[in-house]
Amino acid sequence: MAAASSRSFSFFFSWLLLHTHVHVHAIFEFREATVNEIQSAFSRNEISSKQLVKLYKDEILRRNPILCGVADLNPDAESEAEKADQERAEGKGGTKLSGVPVLIKDNITFKKKRMSTTAGSYALAGSVAAEDAFVVKKLREAGAIIIGKATLKEWSGFRSSNMPVCGSSSGSAISVAANFATVSLGTETDGSIICPSSYNSVVGIKPTVNLTSRSAVVPISLRQDSVGPIARTVEDAVYVLDVIVGKDEKDEGTVNASTHIPEGGYAQYLNPHGLQGKRLGILRYPNSFNSIFPQNSMENATYQQLFQVMREKGATLVDDIVIEKNEEIYENEMIALLAELKRDLNSYLENLVSSPVRSLADLITFNHQHNTLEKIVDYPQDMFIKANMNNGMSKEVQEAISNLERLSKDGFEKMMKEKNLDALIYVGQKLVPFLAVGGYPAITVPGGYNNENMALGVSFGGLKYSEPTLIEIAYSFEQATKKRRPPPNDLIVTQVTQTSISSL
């Protein structure tokens, strides 16, 4: 696959030369530390935000050569953290995320000299955006420190049908799992937050489409794209969600969606007894975990135990959920997404202050001209080419979108209402396109590990704007199980190598 991004590494070499050992006032174990634990350490002067940033950067240097979760580092992160420390000393700040290091996926604009938002492509190296993405503005207003950019599948996996499966926010999930930052931001069009979060034993929230702004975010489809948090705990993910939701006049969809944000925010729904009285459906077909995992497998046994925990915590499990017509959803979704990609990506590129490319057609040409650099043989740009064949939102495309609306209403929504469900339980994210095409929210929580130590996630999906209910369920489940564990120490790399530099 093409490298995550093309960078000028002069700032990085300078940082290496200036890098010194981190001293803290007291022993503070930053690995696995939660937002609340970090804020407590700040208040006790056990560590400063600047020191915490350096600790995370150390961890990135040690592990990123193997994990490749970080695409670029913010050269001003330490000075911005130092400013946060000064504001805290003056009694300012005070938000949950003040001084907390955050990584953002490299399709979310962070306007910074010596950094570009590349969507994982060399084509956007050196591009300049007019301003930060709205969600980044919200994070910075809350005092969060953007430590750097997380890697992603190039163009969020929508350039080539030959790219690996599972969602494109892999760098955001890997980096949180490996303690490269406290929390991160990802984006999802169809599974790109939920899938990598599930497989990396972290929490991912895909909000209802339009709850979070997509302005200055490299798009696939404004109809399906959503920006959401990834964290090691439900609580931390919800703290980030509370910050990034809201009305953005530059993203029309958020205007109405913002009226659905509960007064007092989402953190009030972090209820340890949240499973009590909930009705949860187990998706059996076509995503039956029994068909994926043999009856006598460890995976099957693990999920059965988790279901039993939910029952013991007061939930009623409905074990006969069927949602069919997935193939029809896939066919219509692809027709719609290809047309929307051309429309929405062209708009994004046209509005950059400066860029080597200004259209999807330019990108196709760039990839042909740099076929070795972009690894076109391994990952052909067939999806780009198909998307560029669209001539506006044709009748076929409009019919496809109408079909998706019908399938959503007559499928997932009808089932949820007829079964009187609060949420749908599913394993990982595969074969649940109805959540994507309908713009519905989902949360995934660590559920354990198989014999090969592969993480097993448990995901909960719901109707639009059901985040309060999903948060209650996910938090209660997490507190009852607590299955996440940190990555093994043998992933630590003790030397800074050329690999680590090229990966940043």
Side-chain angles (χ1 to χ4, degrees):
M1 189 186 302
S5 56
S6 175
R7 306 295 189 199
S8 169
F9 301 118
S10 59
F11 84 88
F12 186 67
F13 285 116
S14 299
W15 179 79
L16 285 176
L17 292 173
L18 295 171
H19 185 64
T20 58
H21 184 69
V22 176
H23 297 280
V24 295
H25 299 294
I27 296 174
F28 176 72
E29 181 48 70
F30 73 99
R31 298 178 189 88
E32 301 297 296
T34 66
V35 167
N36 283 335
E37 288 168 347
I38 288 170
Q39 293 299 341
S40 294
F42 285 164
S43 65
R44 295 193 300 268
N45 292 320
E46 290 181 3
I47 194 169
S48 67
S49 179
K50 182 178 181 179
Q51 290 165 338
L52 184 59
V53 165
K54 289 183 177 180
L55 286 170
Y56 279 127
K57 283 193 171 182
D58 273 347
E59 200 74 353
I60 292 168
L61 288 172
R62 298 165 75 190
R63 295 189 178 212
N64 204 57
I66 291 177
L67 300 178
C68 299
V70 178
D72 205 354
L73 292 173
N74 175 9
D76 300 323
E78 285 94 335
S79 61
E80 291 169 5
E82 190 171 18
K83 180 181 178 181
D85 291 329
Q86 181 61 38
E87 290 178 348
R88 186 169 55 255
E90 296 171 355
K92 301 176 183 178
T95 75
K96 286 286 186 182
L97 296 186
S98 294
V100 172
V102 180
L103 278 164
I104 60 173
K105 186 177 177 180
D106 194 22
N107 63 342
I108 302 172
T109 300
F110 177 42
K111 185 174 171 57
K112 177 71 61 172
K113 289 183 180 179
R114 295 171 286 174
M115 296 181 75
S116 294
T117 298
T118 71
S121 173
Y122 286 103
L124 284 184
S127 63
V128 178
E131 59 184 351
D132 286 342
F134 181 80
V135 291
V136 172
K137 291 179 183 177
K138 299 273 279 183
L139 285 172
R140 299 183 79 180
E141 288 169 2
I145 308 301
I146 310 299
I147 193 173
K149 307 295 286 290
T151 56
L152 72 158
K153 197 187 306 182
E154 186 170 345
W155 298 108
S156 295
F158 220 73
R159 187 189 87 180
S160 173
S161 58
N162 199 36
M163 286 189 176
V165 296
C166 200
S168 62
S169 300
S170 52
S172 299
I174 288 167
S175 296
V176 167
N179 289 283
F180 290 170
T182 311
V183 293
S184 69
L185 287 190
T187 65
E188 176 161 328
T189 306
D190 191 338
S192 288
I193 289 174
I194 298 300
C195 183
S197 296
S198 295
Y199 288 129
N200 283 280
S201 196
V202 291
V203 174
I205 300 179
K206 179 248 180 165
T208 302
V209 170
N210 292 322
L211 264 183
T212 53
S213 169
R214 285 73 47 87
S215 65
V217 176
V218 182
I220 292 178
S221 160
L222 291 177
R223 182 182 50 81
Q224 284 188 208
D225 293 348
S226 184
V227 180
I230 298 175
R232 290 182 290 274
T233 67
V234 174
E235 183 175 56
D236 284 359
V238 172
Y239 289 155
V240 178
L241 182 66
D242 266 335
V243 168
I244 64 174
V245 296
K247 180 171 68 174
D248 175 14
E249 297 294 345
K250 295 182 179 179
D251 186 345
E252 184 179 351
T254 65
V255 176
N256 174 66
S258 64
T259 64
H260 295 272
I261 299 171
E263 185 176 354
Y266 293 103
Q268 62 186 305
Y269 298 101
L270 293 166
N271 177 9
H273 305 293
L275 280 167
Q276 183 68 44
K278 298 296 193 297
R279 282 179 57 85
L280 311 177
I282 301 175
L283 184 61
R284 289 290 182 180
Y285 180 84
N287 190 33
S288 168
F289 69 87
N290 277 342
S291 67
I292 299 172
F293 308 124
Q295 191 68 33
N296 61 349
S297 68
M298 180 179 181
E299 290 91 341
N300 189 73
T302 297
Y303 283 112
Q304 293 294 349
Q305 291 170 2
L306 296 174
F307 296 153
Q308 184 56 33
V309 170
M310 296 179 202
R311 294 185 182 99
E312 291 171 356
K313 292 297 177 180
T316 298
L317 270 59
V318 181
D319 203 1
D320 61 349
I321 302 303
V322 175
I323 300 177
E324 301 188 43
K325 298 186 178 179
N326 267 5
E327 288 304 318
E328 188 177 352
I329 291 176
Y330 279 128
E331 292 168 3
N332 285 279
E333 180 186 26
M334 190 54 61
I335 292 170
L337 289 181
L338 288 171
E340 291 164 336
L341 174 71
K342 182 178 181 180
R343 179 197 64 191
D344 296 341
L345 185 55
N346 280 352
S347 177
Y348 173 86
L349 295 172
E350 289 166 2
N351 284 296
L352 291 173
V353 173
S354 64
S355 174
V357 291
R358 289 294 185 178
S359 68
L360 180 57
D362 289 348
L363 288 173
I364 293 170
T365 300
F366 177 92
N367 291 334
H368 277 309
Q369 293 174 343
H370 302 85
N371 59 84
T372 300
L373 186 67
E374 286 289 337
K375 297 190 176 182
I376 292 298
V377 173
D378 294 328
Y379 307 104
Q381 54 179 336
D382 56 301
M383 296 179 77
F384 268 13
I385 292 170
K386 287 179 182 177
N388 200 48
M389 292 171 63
N390 281 277
N391 185 19
M393 304 300 283
S394 66
K395 181 179 179 181
E396 180 190 21
V397 174
Q398 293 177 40
E399 287 179 352
I401 294 172
S402 295
N403 288 337
L404 292 175
E405 292 173 351
R406 170 181 55 81
L407 290 164
S408 296
K409 183 177 180 180
D410 295 342
F412 181 62
E413 289 188 20
K414 182 179 179 181
M415 179 278 297
M416 290 289 288
K417 293 171 183 177
E418 286 183 349
K419 298 288 186 179
N420 193 28
L421 298 180
D422 293 293
L424 180 71
I425 305 169
Y426 61 104
V427 176
Q429 66 89 35
K430 294 184 179 180
L431 298 176
V432 285
F434 46 82
L435 290 178
V437 301
Y440 306 114
I443 301 178
T444 189
V445 182
Y449 303 82
N450 67 12
N451 289 322
E452 288 77 38
N453 284 321
M454 174 65 74
L456 304 173
V458 177
S459 302
F460 305 94
L463 296 173
K464 289 182 179 180
Y465 308 115
S466 64
E467 278 82 358
T469 298
L470 295 181
I471 289 167
E472 284 193 323
I473 292 167
Y475 182 70
S476 179
F477 171 76
E478 175 197 52
Q479 295 304 298
T481 55
K482 295 192 176 179
K483 293 293 186 178
R484 166 163 171 82
R485 62 180 185 238
N489 289 330
D490 59 8
L491 285 178
I492 293 178
V493 179
T494 56
Q495 289 185 321
V496 177
T497 65
Q498 184 64 35
T499 305
S500 70
I501 295 171
S502 64
S503 69
L504 291 170

